Amino acid sequence: MNEVQVFFLTAPKQPRLRLSRRVRLFRRNPRRAVWPATSAMVRLVTGCRLSHVAIGHGDIMLDQASEGRRCWPMLVYARRHPTLLWMFRVPVPGPVDLVSRADPSARISVIRTLIWWITSGKCAATNCVSEACCVLRIAGVAIPPTITTPALLFDWLLCEDYQLESLT
């Protein structure tokens, strides 16, 4: 039987920058502001420090981020994301092909994610939770469509008795 790993991350510590410096950085590259803004929004809405989800299989990680949906070697991803906190091991009946899911043009839309949260998953959105749930559904895991935050996914996996491992 195949196994998928679901990883949960917390927000990275952001350096304290003056407002003028933040505005300059945002003007140069507006996409850089999506990750901190989305992370803060997730933590504010859920009241939980979990702010991101990534999914892995074998030695490949699939990460849906503001830069698009990308595959990473597991060790490279772990080095780039030192805020990995927990991992669930989820046995899946079906095959898992993370590489075919990679799409650099699939970027996160903050507005669509907000609408997705408000409607409890009834409208389409591209974000880390929707992608993790989609991969699990394709692999044969019956996840409720109302799971819209990292905290809800974490709680659901915990209630379903999937194996939890601490990465800290």
Side-chain angles (χ1 to χ4, degrees):
M1 183 169 275
N2 289 322
E3 177 183 86
V4 170
Q5 300 92 26
V6 183
F7 293 88
F8 291 86
L9 296 82
T10 188
K13 291 282 185 193
Q14 296 295 322
R16 298 274 181 196
L17 300 174
R18 291 192 338 239
L19 183 59
S20 61
R21 175 89 171 121
R22 289 182 192 181
V23 169
R24 227 174 320 141
L25 287 171
F26 178 72
R27 281 186 180 158
R28 284 187 194 148
N29 187 356
R31 300 298 299 165
R32 288 183 76 191
V34 172
W35 163 243
T38 306
S39 176
M41 185 174 62
V42 169
R43 286 178 287 136
L44 181 69
V45 168
T46 64
C48 180
R49 69 182 186 154
L50 297 176
S51 61
H52 191 62
V53 178
I55 195 151
H57 176 67
D59 62 347
I60 300 290
M61 293 285 294
L62 181 67
D63 183 37
Q64 173 66 59
S66 59
E67 303 88 31
R69 190 179 311 131
R70 296 186 177 174
C71 283
W72 298 90
M74 187 83 68
L75 294 175
V76 172
Y77 188 85
R79 272 195 304 270
R80 287 180 51 113
H81 297 85
T83 59
L84 284 168
L85 293 178
W86 293 289
M87 174 186 71
F88 281 95
R89 294 187 181 276
V90 181
V92 294
V96 180
D97 183 13
L98 297 181
V99 176
S100 68
R101 304 269 323 149
D103 181 5
S105 67
R107 297 176 184 235
I108 293 174
S109 166
V110 175
I111 301 299
R112 281 178 110 19
T113 297
L114 279 173
I115 295 168
W116 188 61
W117 284 342
I118 291 167
T119 63
S120 295
K122 289 184 177 70
C123 72
T126 301
N127 57 52
C128 61
V129 177
S130 67
E131 184 58 27
C133 290
C134 182
V135 168
L136 289 169
R137 284 185 192 108
I138 290 170
V141 179
I143 294 184
T146 55
I147 292 184
T148 55
T149 65
L152 288 173
L153 181 57
F154 185 93
D155 291 343
W156 184 83
L157 291 168
L158 198 59
C159 288
E160 293 294 312
D161 288 328
Y162 290 113
Q163 181 185 350
L164 174 65
E165 294 179 20
S166 174
L167 302 175
T168 56

